[in-house]
Amino acid sequence: MTRGVGYWLRQLWVQVLIGMVAGVVVGVAWPGAAAQMQPFSDGFVALMKMIVAPVLFCTVVLGVGKVDSIGRVGRVGAKSLVYFVVLTALCMGVGLIVANVFQPGAGMHIAASSLSTKDLPDGVASTHLSVADFLLSIIPTTMFSAFTDGEILPVMLVSVLFGIGIKAVGEPAEGLLRGVENLSKVVFKVVGWVMRTAPLGAFGGLALTVGKYGIGTLHQLLVLIAIFSATCLVFILVVFGGLLRYTGLSLFKLCRYLKEELMIILATCSSEAVLPRMVDKMTNLGASRPVVGLTLPAGYSFNLDGTAIYLTMSSLFLAQALDIHMSLGAQLAMLGIMMITSKGAAGVPGGAFVVLASSIGIIGHVPMAALALIVGIDRFLNEGRILTTVLGNAVATIFIAKWEGEFDLERAKAVLDGKDVPPVRETEEWHERPVTGLPGTSTAPAAAG
């Protein structure tokens, strides 16, 4: 079936691409007029800032409030969290190293004073707090002021406490938890609407950048895309490939097994769109239902590998573009903060850009308006980070299942080889049968049918 022009024009990525091209044309042909396009990028950044707090509140409250499932498989939950923390730190460390080695933003020489800072909280870019002052600043004056003061960490503190409170109250608070879940649907719908303004943001951002700093700035943006994509590819091949070799499986066969899911996320720009399919496929692959049921949903909040690489690399790119030097200590502190803020990007189209905005607001190393420099290419960066994240969660599920002794290796090999394998029985319980697919064990009942 041939798709008409109307279909393609309705696709957000096409609209963003058109906005980028238009921005470059205006910047080159009418550099004087391009400076007047700044409100488009400023407006988009302001909309992103507006939605950060509700996104984090819903994500954190639901994550904490629904953690009761770990009661059944507490050991699996603990192992999963350890794995997620280690992989997230590794990804962010890789992003820092690559950005420091290749310095994709060096040479842009953009003056911070030329960027609009009118939407920033007072003093956010110049305040230097002691450790004690920083920790005390996390505590809001009231629970509600956390959402009106323009700071993100107080929102996260309130959200964690709120989620723990819901969990502690138990059944009487289930209705409230469902209410937050319904609220999250509304919030994410608003995020989708906000992301529809991305073409205007891309137009304004590139028009302003090219018009003020010249066509040469596009070189650095293309370099950032190339370096980020190459970093994700190498990370997938080396780290994920290595973890799968440890389990006895092939990365390329896993990618072939998940080809439909990978195509879906490229089309929808949301990893959440394939979560139900991923649960079914990981169970069919040979991981036990309890491990899949815990690891995959938790991974959507705590194991955002592609986003982790993106956050540190993009943040350092902006600092380099503005000729702002960040010491090793400052970069490590940034990594620690982003380890926390990255938990708000789960499953939301453009969520990583939201988290980058919130992280910049917390760290204060560059003006928030600097985001206009990369808004036009964020859609292309999203391709690499979302593929890395989804593959990372698939690998995490396999690794945790093997670590827990609840992975059927023989079944997995048969499935990845394209052989006909009977479906997993609904009544099957892993604690009632021997662990299989591991050295010295017998064939699984699931594999034998």
Side-chain angles (χ1 to χ4, degrees):
M1 179 179 178
T2 302
R3 290 167 174 167
V5 176
Y7 168 84
W8 294 109
L9 291 178
R10 288 192 296 272
Q11 304 305 306
L12 181 60
W13 71 270
V14 175
Q15 296 171 11
V16 170
L17 183 60
I18 293 173
M20 292 172 60
V21 173
V24 172
V25 170
V26 171
V28 172
W30 304 283
Q36 306 303 315
M37 302 299 106
Q38 183 167 342
F40 288 107
S41 60
D42 286 348
F44 177 72
V45 171
L47 286 171
M48 298 302 295
K49 288 177 58 181
M50 174 192 72
I51 204 66
V52 164
V55 165
L56 289 183
F57 175 77
C58 293
T59 300
V60 175
V61 169
L62 290 175
V64 176
K66 291 187 173 184
V67 79
D68 284 333
S69 59
I70 295 182
R72 270 183 72 220
V73 284
R75 187 174 63 253
V76 176
K79 290 179 178 178
S80 298
L81 291 177
V82 169
Y83 176 95
F84 296 158
V85 169
V86 171
L87 260 289
T88 299
L90 177 61
C91 291
M92 289 188 170
V94 168
L96 285 181
I97 292 172
V98 172
N100 276 290
V101 171
F102 292 97
Q103 298 192 3
M108 296 183 74
H109 305 303
I110 296 176
S113 59
S114 67
L115 300 172
S116 173
T117 58
K118 60 185 180 63
D119 292 323
L120 288 174
D122 293 338
V124 70
S126 58
T127 301
H128 300 280
L129 302 176
S130 66
V131 174
D133 290 337
F134 172 75
L135 294 176
L136 289 174
S137 69
I138 298 175
I139 305 174
T141 304
T142 68
M143 291 186 70
F144 297 102
S145 67
F147 299 90
T148 59
D149 289 345
E151 302 290 342
I152 301 303
L153 286 181
V155 175
M156 297 193 68
L157 175 63
V158 170
S159 303
V160 170
L161 293 177
F162 200 80
I164 292 175
I166 289 178
K167 179 184 174 184
V169 170
E171 185 176 351
E174 288 183 358
L176 185 58
L177 188 62
R178 288 194 296 270
V180 175
E181 188 170 15
N182 291 330
L183 175 63
S184 71
K185 297 177 181 178
V186 176
V187 170
F188 294 157
K189 175 64 72 173
V190 174
V191 170
W193 292 340
V194 170
M195 289 306 298
R196 281 292 170 182
T197 68
L200 290 177
F203 167 73
L206 280 180
L208 176 65
T209 301
V210 174
K212 182 175 289 188
Y213 306 108
I215 192 68
T217 57
L218 292 179
H219 172 71
Q220 273 80 9
L221 298 180
L222 294 175
V223 168
L224 176 61
I225 294 175
I227 292 177
F228 176 74
S229 300
T231 301
C232 289
L233 178 60
V234 172
F235 191 89
I236 289 172
L237 294 175
V238 175
V239 178
F240 295 163
L243 290 173
L244 284 175
R245 279 196 299 272
Y246 169 75
T247 64
L249 300 178
S250 165
L251 171 65
F252 297 103
K253 289 182 178 180
L254 179 65
C255 292
R256 184 179 61 188
Y257 177 61
L258 299 175
K259 62 181 181 298
E260 293 179 357
E261 288 68 32
L262 298 180
M263 291 300 296
I264 289 174
I265 61 176
L266 285 176
T268 63
C269 294
S270 173
S271 57
E272 196 173 51
V274 298
L275 179 56
R277 295 170 62 97
M278 291 292 291
V279 170
D280 289 340
K281 284 210 164 183
M282 289 297 101
T283 304
N284 181 61
L285 192 63
S288 71
R289 293 184 186 279
V291 171
V292 174
L294 174 63
T295 305
L296 266 182
Y300 269 60
S301 289
F302 297 101
N303 191 43
L304 307 175
D305 299 324
T307 297
I309 297 174
Y310 162 85
L311 288 176
T312 49
M313 185 177 293
S314 297
S315 183
L316 207 54
F317 169 84
L318 295 177
Q320 293 167 356
L322 273 63
D323 294 321
I324 297 174
H325 173 72
M326 294 187 69
S327 65
L328 177 60
Q331 292 185 35
L332 293 178
M334 177 180 71
L335 187 150
I337 291 173
M338 288 182 170
M339 286 280 291
I340 300 173
T341 57
S342 64
K343 308 315 174 192
V348 185
F353 193 79
V354 175
V355 172
L356 180 62
S358 66
S359 301
I360 286 176
I362 295 169
I363 300 166
H365 64 303
V366 297
M368 185 75 76
L371 288 170
L373 297 175
I374 63 171
V375 63
I377 63 171
D378 185 73
R379 173 61 175 78
F380 300 98
L381 296 174
N382 189 49
E383 301 292 349
R385 67 185 180 230
I386 199 169
L387 283 173
T388 306
T389 293
V390 171
L391 279 174
N393 282 321
V395 173
T397 302
I398 295 170
F399 185 86
I400 297 300
K402 178 179 173 64
W403 188 4
E404 185 63 13
E406 297 190 8
F407 185 70
D408 187 343
L409 182 60
E410 297 304 320
R411 178 185 179 89
K413 288 181 177 180
V415 170
L416 295 184
D417 286 339
K419 298 178 180 178
D420 292 330
V421 179
V424 177
R425 294 196 296 267
E426 294 293 334
T427 58
E428 194 172 70
E429 294 292 342
W430 277 81
H431 65 270
E432 294 178 352
R433 63 183 177 84
V435 176
T436 61
L438 301 175
T441 58
S442 60
T443 304

